[in-house]
Amino acid sequence: MFHFSYGYAQQRTINGTVLDASSKKALPGVTIQVSGTTNATSTNEQGNFTLENVTNGQEIVVSFIGYSSSRFKIDSKSTYSIELTSSATAIEETVVVGYGRQKKRNLTGSIVSVGASEIEKTALQDPISVLQGRAAGVQITSNSGAPGGEMSIRVRGNSSLNSGNTPLFVVDGIPIESNSISSLNGTENFGLNPLADINPNDIASIEVLKDAASTAIYGSRAANGVVMITTKRGASGKPEILLNATTGVSELTRKLSVLNAQQYREAVLDSYFAVPNPEEPYYTIIDSLNPMNSGDVDWQDELMRTAKQYKIDLSVRGGNEGTKYAWSTSYLDQDGIILNSNYKRFTTRLNTDFNLTDHIRIGQSISYTNGVNNRTNASGTGNLSIIRSLLVRPPNMSMYLPDGSINGYMIGMRNPVGMALYATNLNKSNRIIGSQYLEVDIFKDLKFRSNVNLDYIAMKEEEFMPSILDYREGYNTGGVRSTGSLTWGNESYFTYNKSLNDAHNFGGVLGMSFQKWRYDRTGLDGMYFPSDDIRTLNAASVISNQGVNVASEHAMLSYFGRATYDYLGKYLLEFNLRADGSSRFGQNKRFGFFPSASAGWRFKDEDFLKDSNVLSDGKIRFSLGSTGNEAIGDYTSQGEFTLGTNYLDFSGAAPTVMPNASLTWETTNQYNLGLELGFWNNRVLFTTEAYLKKTSDLLYNVPIPNTTGFEFITQNIGNIENRGLEFSLQTKNLQGPFTWSTGLNVSLNRNKVASLPEDLLTNGYINNGNVHILKVGLPIGVFYGWRYQGVYARDEDNVNKITNGATGPVFVGGDPIWKDVNNDNIINQDDREIIGYAEPKFFGGFSNDFSYKNFHLNIFLQYSVGNEIYSELNHQRNSIVRYNNLSTDALDRWREQGDITNFPRLIRDDPKQSDSRVQSRWVEDGSYIKLKNVNLRYSLKPEWTQKLGLRKIDAFVTASNLITWTKYTGFDPDVNSYSGLRVGLDEGSYPQARSFMFGLTFGL
């Protein structure tokens, strides 16, 4: 209670102390200002202040960057004690939701939040990597360990077959492009990570909206969840300048074993002599005197390096009651662990907010990113893949020829070092993400806000493969692509909040939005350049692939609303509705409607629990609703044509996709039950969620008879189901001078294909690539092939004389033992079965934070348990057919009758197809526990930094991917060579790196 003195204003002096509300430590550099004036001061290193020329009744504003502001009015006291709450705590108390913020205690939906304090503990360079293992229900897998490489993110499982499973990303209210638009990706099955354009140091919080109650307000794009990224904004107070400088190194986490030159020559000879009529081996393979084959090269040592990186961040935040600003700029230079791979990124951001009057506010957010990614064609299949080449290229193939030139190509094998050094795969991009808003307080409880936003990406890509890496003299190829992606729109909405009698609280949002997308790509390919040194496309003698030149656009008109009610904060209700109209769908089904409803009961506030000393918080909530998925081609419902089907000198077009005027959204209905508990003054916080997601009307390209003139028609068919449990636990184990807190999250998701049309099935399933199938009742990510059961030690061990095919040869000593599923003594297509599952049984993260005086330590572990990996990479490095080098497992191969081993004999051109089968031999346990991040930080004492004229100095060291405990024998179990549904397949991705970073933070 403050008391006011009336009469003549008498100026005087007040004193006080400002403390951190949690640690009770003094806060130096805090601004204490008389509201609406320039009369201000700041606290010293002991947190004390003196403010002169003040009068009773004046309002004092206490502000400090990183903390929530506090206000009080001067009364008769002369000394004041003020405590400020850190903004990290404030972020936890309120979370970002669609079109606003809500108090966490009032949420009825399922939302998980990662704040700036967690982000600062990592040395990661993109928002997706930051989320990995830190958010329950969010599964993130690396498609590539390359700098700026793409990652797969799934929120509560896969819910689509053809139409994408990536969540919607919203940055400061702007829905942005989150799918790769790169088109020159070599043999890789994925592109670059577009979210690498966002500097994590700019992020204040990341919220993941998981259930329909929280996502339905985004309607047709929210079936896969919504990720809300909020960047840092200015605050009233003395400007804060932060300079953050980091540097460090990265290295390969593990090498894979391979044969040396002598061991390899012996293996080749064994494979030739194992055929029924031995032939003479290709002479260069065994001729150690030939200069092209006289080497003994460890290609991993030659290609991998200790990579350096450095980054510098500069930011300024501050403002006053009328103007707030946050400006930042950053430069990153990150080498990859493969030679010649590098990622450079420059980002700058400006967020401003202006109070034009007491009732009108305007502001803007704008960021610019320039990225240069010198890529390598690391992943994928064939002899253009660097990772595959470095493992299978024979060690005896010399690095250089006698004339000093690189030994670029031999018997189908390209030199991986040559590909890294001399091939070009360059990506340059410029990106602007911007918005501006107008906000008006119409009445006390009603305000209006309108945002105009855009996301523009301009990308240029170049690739070139020189003739020195090919067997054809003068044969070189190149290509160029220029791509533009523009998203712009407007969102305008009213927000209403009203409280009656401090008991009935009403809230509402009502608005509309318009958004438009346009994609343009131009480019050409060329062959036979006059020189490997002239790589511009105008030098090519043959120009091709004009079909890559495309333009495409679509638009969406939406109406949305939300209504909330709570009584005394105990009984909570919320309703959401969005109507989306998309140009992508047929005229008969253009609009979709996506409602949700949710309720919560804060039972801790009931009279029978109010006085509990054990239970400090308790809430149960339930939600149900529907969301959609519109991720199909822009013109799919209208029909599509392929150009270039010319006749004589006349251009032509051929139909490929049949129109479908009734094509409509995939719809996901979700049910969610959540329980939140707090114990002992919230020293222990526990949250559990149970959910059921049912996706119907799956968008799928259905093949149709060629007599129709079309290849397929996109239809709504089939259903997918996800159900799961999530657990989160946060504890404050120790408090005082030494603090220790723990965070743990566990996620379980069970996915299955609930239905598929019978006319699409072959033998009861749909082939999903060479390794996977889709089958009703089974999850997405099922491996299908032959069961490998060991090796026949002797000819007579094949008691039943099992043959390869009905008329093929009998399996003998040294051949694999295949499971005869139908017991007909014939191994053929009918003996295939389920041989593995890519979906983990559970996954999550485990974090511990320790603090003593000025030392802070964070240890974070990430894990995945029960998932399996189909290692096509290990298949290739254990296959002699194409003169591939082998792993050292081949030293234990079967050689003669009676040998007991699990490695079959080596045989070239095996007529029994033992090598080419999709088989359980290459299915491995992909479970792992990673020591993902260790961060040690030391903050210099305020009295030391004050003497240097600084507000703070922090020194820190961070180690990433420090240790991985796993049985998987590839480079890393956190791998996925495809960004779609072919999950758990390792074809040889760019390996993950172990990093060690050191940094300094200076605050002014």
Side-chain angles (χ1 to χ4, degrees):
M1 179 73 67
F2 296 99
H3 304 281
F4 303 88
S5 296
Y6 297 92
Y8 294 102
Q10 184 176 0
Q11 292 187 336
R12 61 191 183 90
T13 300
I14 62 173
N15 303 289
T17 304
V18 183
L19 305 174
D20 182 289
S22 176
S23 66
K24 309 303 180 185
K25 294 180 180 179
L27 293 176
V30 178
T31 299
I32 296 90
Q33 183 175 18
V34 178
S35 179
T37 74
T38 58
N39 186 13
T41 187
S42 60
T43 57
N44 60 19
E45 58 267 26
Q46 286 78 39
N48 300 324
F49 70 90
T50 299
L51 184 61
E52 300 175 342
N53 301 321
V54 300
T55 60
N56 289 355
Q58 285 185 318
E59 185 179 52
I60 303 298
V61 180
V62 184
S63 58
F64 190 43
I65 296 294
Y67 288 78
S68 299
S69 298
S70 177
R71 296 171 178 264
F72 69 91
K73 287 188 177 180
I74 298 175
D75 55 17
S76 58
K77 293 187 297 184
S78 296
T79 304
Y80 296 83
S81 180
I82 303 147
E83 294 184 355
L84 295 184
T85 303
S86 71
S87 59
T89 303
I91 287 174
E92 293 176 0
E93 292 174 351
T94 65
V95 297
V96 177
V97 298
Y99 306 102
R101 276 186 175 271
Q102 287 186 4
K103 291 182 179 179
K104 191 174 181 180
R105 61 176 283 116
N106 292 339
L107 287 177
T108 54
S110 179
I111 298 177
V112 61
S113 179
V114 177
S117 59
E118 285 296 307
I119 296 172
E120 290 170 358
K121 297 169 187 174
T122 74
L124 303 172
Q125 303 301 344
D126 68 271
I128 299 183
S129 298
V130 167
L131 282 175
Q132 192 173 30
R134 290 179 171 84
V138 182
Q139 184 182 12
I140 297 174
T141 309
S142 299
N143 297 118
S144 171
E150 191 176 11
M151 305 183 76
S152 294
I153 176 170
R154 299 289 181 265
V155 178
R156 294 184 167 180
N158 291 290
S159 56
S160 180
L161 295 180
N162 272 6
S163 300
N165 287 280
T166 301
L168 171 68
F169 282 83
V170 179
V171 178
D172 291 333
I174 307 170
I176 66 166
E177 178 61 64
S178 58
N179 295 306
S180 175
I181 67 168
S182 62
S183 53
L184 288 183
N185 299 309
T187 60
E188 296 181 343
N189 297 292
F190 45 83
L192 296 176
N193 178 7
L195 295 172
D197 293 334
I198 300 173
N199 180 14
N201 281 12
D202 289 341
I203 297 175
S205 69
I206 305 174
E207 274 82 19
V208 182
L209 284 54
K210 298 185 290 186
D211 70 332
S214 55
T215 62
I217 201 163
Y218 283 105
S220 64
R221 293 169 290 172
N224 302 311
V226 180
V227 179
M228 312 281 291
I229 298 175
T230 304
T231 61
K232 297 173 182 176
R233 305 196 76 84
S236 296
K238 185 179 179 181
E240 179 190 76
I241 301 174
L242 274 180
L243 176 65
N244 195 59
T246 60
T247 185
V249 296
S250 302
E251 62 184 15
L252 184 67
T253 56
R254 67 156 75 165
K255 284 181 59 179
L256 303 187
S257 66
V258 289
L259 301 182
N260 61 32
Q262 181 58 37
Q263 294 167 338
Y264 172 75
R265 291 188 183 97
E266 293 174 358
V268 170
L269 290 173
D270 281 356
S271 71
Y272 269 98
F273 296 145
V275 298
N277 298 304
E279 57 186 81
E280 187 69 22
Y282 190 61
Y283 76 95
T284 56
I285 290 296
I286 59 172
D287 185 4
S288 60
L289 299 180
N290 187 312
M292 300 176 65
N293 286 278
S294 60
D296 193 356
V297 182
D298 187 324
W299 296 104
Q300 293 176 83
D301 285 346
E302 296 292 336
L303 190 70
M304 299 296 182
R305 64 178 174 181
T306 299
K308 298 179 180 179
Q309 65 172 295
Y310 64 87
K311 184 185 180 189
I312 188 164
D313 296 275
L314 177 64
S315 65
V316 182
R317 298 174 62 206
N320 52 39
E321 290 301 297
T323 302
K324 300 178 179 65
Y325 58 86
W327 171 86
S328 67
T329 191
S330 171
Y331 181 73
L332 168 70
D333 188 343
Q334 183 179 8
D335 286 336
I337 58 175
I338 293 180
L339 288 176
N340 210 32
S341 59
N342 172 269
Y343 178 51
K344 292 182 174 69
R345 182 189 68 196
F346 169 78
T347 65
T348 187
R349 174 179 293 276
L350 178 63
N351 293 345
T352 57
D353 301 278
F354 302 96
N355 293 336
L356 300 183
T357 70
D358 290 340
H359 305 290
I360 301 176
R361 294 167 295 279
I362 63 173
Q364 59 88 36
S365 299
I366 187 166
S367 68
Y368 167 72
T369 302
N370 172 263
V372 178
N373 199 318
N374 192 25
R375 305 174 65 184
T376 58
N377 192 48
S379 307
T381 61
N383 61 14
L384 291 173
S385 166
I386 286 180
I387 293 301
R388 183 168 293 192
S389 295
L390 71 87
L391 292 173
V392 304
R393 182 170 163 104
N396 57 327
M397 288 186 180
S398 303
M399 178 70 75
Y400 298 101
L401 299 176
D403 62 1
S405 62
I406 195 163
N407 185 5
Y409 188 99
M410 282 189 61
I411 57 171
M413 303 281 185
R414 283 187 169 89
N415 188 321
V417 176
M419 285 193 286
L421 294 179
Y422 301 114
T424 296
N425 195 339
L426 185 64
N427 182 292
K428 299 179 181 179
S429 65
N430 293 278
R431 185 174 195 175
I432 297 175
I433 301 175
S435 71
Q436 56 185 17
Y437 73 87
L438 167 68
E439 192 171 75
V440 181
D441 296 332
I442 301 174
F443 302 114
K444 177 182 177 182
D445 303 314
L446 178 67
K447 66 180 180 180
F448 170 78
R449 183 181 177 107
S450 182
N451 304 321
V452 178
N453 54 67
L454 68 86
D455 177 14
Y456 176 68
I457 306 173
M459 179 180 292
K460 183 178 181 182
E461 299 174 275
E462 302 172 21
E463 71 175 12
F464 188 85
M465 182 61 66
S467 60
I468 58 174
L469 299 176
D470 200 274
Y471 66 94
R472 291 160 287 194
E473 185 175 354
Y475 181 85
N476 44 29
T477 61
V480 63
R481 301 288 186 273
S482 181
T483 305
S485 173
L486 172 64
T487 303
W488 69 273
N490 169 258
E491 295 176 322
S492 299
Y493 56 95
F494 295 90
T495 302
Y496 178 77
N497 289 287
K498 181 69 174 179
S499 181
L500 297 177
N501 302 321
D502 295 326
H504 301 277
N505 302 296
F506 301 89
V509 173
L510 182 65
M512 67 174 292
S513 73
F514 171 79
Q515 194 161 5
K516 188 171 183 178
W517 295 261
R518 181 174 176 87
Y519 174 86
D520 295 272
R521 185 181 66 210
T522 60
L524 290 170
D525 295 337
M527 299 171 59
Y528 298 111
F529 294 71
S531 167
D532 287 343
D533 297 324
I534 303 176
R535 301 189 174 195
T536 54
L537 204 61
N538 63 336
S541 64
V542 177
I543 299 294
S544 63
N545 205 9
Q546 291 89 336
V548 303
N549 296 274
V550 297
S552 180
E553 60 184 7
H554 78 283
M556 182 180 291
L557 175 66
S558 307
Y559 305 91
F560 56 88
R562 175 172 59 229
T564 62
Y565 168 77
D566 76 77
Y567 175 68
L568 295 174
K570 289 192 297 185
Y571 311 112
L572 313 167
L573 291 173
E574 180 175 312
F575 301 93
N576 291 275
L577 176 64
R578 186 176 182 111
D580 280 332
S582 173
S583 64
R584 283 179 165 174
F585 292 106
Q587 293 181 353
N588 301 340
K589 297 286 183 71
R590 186 144 288 175
F591 266 88
F593 299 89
F594 306 97
S596 75
S598 55
W601 174 35
R602 184 170 294 283
F603 53 84
K604 173 60 178 69
D605 292 347
E606 298 291 352
D607 291 339
F608 61 88
L609 284 174
K610 272 188 175 180
D611 299 326
S612 172
N613 294 323
V614 176
L615 186 68
S616 51
D617 190 21
K619 180 173 71 174
I620 189 169
R621 47 186 166 76
F622 174 75
S623 70
L624 74 164
S626 65
T627 49
N629 192 340
E630 58 118 29
I632 60 172
D634 289 340
Y635 308 110
T636 298
S637 67
Q638 302 172 42
E640 296 181 8
F641 293 81
T642 296
L643 301 178
T645 54
N646 304 331
Y647 178 73
L648 298 178
D649 295 329
F650 299 95
S651 61
T656 55
V657 180
M658 179 180 285
N660 185 353
S662 297
L663 191 67
T664 190
W665 326 86
E666 288 183 353
T667 300
T668 297
N669 296 310
Q670 186 170 178
Y671 309 85
N672 192 89
L673 179 64
L675 175 65
E676 300 174 13
L677 298 173
F679 301 96
W680 302 291
N681 197 27
N682 285 345
R683 286 191 63 175
V684 177
L685 295 173
F686 175 75
T687 302
T688 183
E689 311 264 0
Y691 63 86
L692 172 63
K693 289 174 62 177
K694 292 185 175 182
T695 303
S696 57
D697 295 328
L698 296 174
L699 293 162
Y700 193 78
N701 295 332
V702 179
I704 55 179
N706 292 334
T707 54
T708 63
F710 297 89
E711 296 179 9
F712 57 84
I713 182 172
T714 303
Q715 294 180 333
N716 296 103
I717 56 105
N719 300 277
I720 290 177
E721 182 179 296
N722 286 275
R723 61 180 67 212
L725 296 172
E726 298 164 4
F727 305 94
S728 296
L729 179 67
Q730 293 178 312
T731 63
K732 297 178 181 177
N733 306 315
L734 293 175
Q735 293 180 312
F738 179 80
T739 65
W740 171 29
S741 60
T742 296
L744 171 69
N745 70 80
V746 182
S747 303
L748 301 85
N749 184 78
R750 298 295 178 264
N751 167 282
K752 73 174 181 179
V753 178
S755 68
L756 290 171
E758 288 292 332
D759 56 351
L760 291 182
L761 305 181
T762 302
N763 298 322
Y765 59 84
I766 297 175
N767 281 313
N768 183 26
N770 296 325
V771 177
H772 300 81
I773 63 166
L774 297 171
K775 187 175 183 179
V776 173
L778 295 178
I780 293 171
V782 169
F783 308 137
Y784 192 70
W786 285 268
R787 180 74 59 182
Y788 182 87
Q789 295 182 312
V791 176
Y792 290 110
R794 302 176 182 275
D795 296 346
E796 54 268 26
D797 289 344
N798 184 1
V799 177
N800 296 322
K801 305 299 181 184
I802 297 174
T803 60
N804 179 54
T807 60
V810 174
F811 291 99
V812 296
D815 287 337
I817 303 173
W818 304 110
K819 182 179 179 181
D820 186 8
V821 174
N822 55 8
N823 295 315
D824 63 354
N825 297 330
I826 298 171
I827 301 301
N828 55 20
Q829 298 287 317
D830 298 334
D831 294 302
R832 292 178 298 168
E833 63 178 10
I834 305 300
I835 57 175
Y837 298 88
E839 185 176 84
K841 293 180 179 178
F842 59 93
F843 60 91
F846 180 51
S847 180
N848 282 276
D849 285 276
F850 306 91
S851 180
Y852 179 70
K853 294 185 177 179
N854 295 330
F855 288 94
H856 309 275
L857 175 66
N858 170 259
I859 300 174
F860 175 69
L861 294 101
Q862 178 214 345
Y863 62 88
S864 178
V865 177
N867 59 295
E868 292 177 305
I869 297 172
Y870 191 90
S871 184
E872 178 62 20
L873 180 66
N874 280 339
H875 169 212
Q876 292 299 318
R877 69 190 194 97
N878 284 288
S879 171
I880 198 68
V881 173
R882 298 175 184 86
Y883 298 102
N884 288 358
N885 195 14
L886 308 174
S887 74
T888 55
D889 292 345
L891 297 176
D892 296 324
R893 63 186 178 273
W894 189 96
R895 300 172 192 252
E896 59 183 23
Q897 296 289 324
D899 283 351
I900 298 175
T901 179
N902 201 44
F903 199 109
R905 62 176 175 162
L906 299 175
I907 180 171
R908 286 192 57 79
D909 302 322
D910 183 9
K912 300 170 187 174
Q913 303 171 319
S914 297
D915 181 74
S916 59
R917 297 180 193 271
V918 174
Q919 56 191 274
S920 62
R921 182 183 176 193
W922 312 123
V923 177
E924 299 188 38
D925 184 358
S927 304
Y928 66 87
I929 300 176
K930 276 181 179 286
L931 185 52
K932 186 73 173 181
N933 192 82
V934 177
N935 176 264
L936 177 63
R937 181 179 295 267
Y938 176 75
S939 301
L940 269 68
K941 295 180 180 179
E943 53 266 32
W944 295 356
T945 58
Q946 291 283 338
K947 293 178 181 179
L948 298 172
L950 298 174
R951 184 176 54 83
K952 75 170 185 177
I953 300 178
D954 289 356
F956 60 89
V957 60
T958 301
S960 302
N961 278 339
L962 197 59
I963 304 173
T964 301
W965 293 275
T966 184
K967 294 180 180 178
Y968 182 58
T969 60
F971 282 116
D972 197 294
D974 178 21
V975 63
N976 191 36
S977 292
Y978 290 84
S979 56
L981 297 183
R982 296 167 65 181
V983 294
L985 178 58
D986 182 4
E987 288 192 337
S989 296
Y990 195 117
Q992 300 292 308
R994 180 188 295 116
S995 300
F996 300 91
M997 303 295 296
F998 171 76
L1000 292 170
T1001 301
F1002 302 93
L1004 298 176

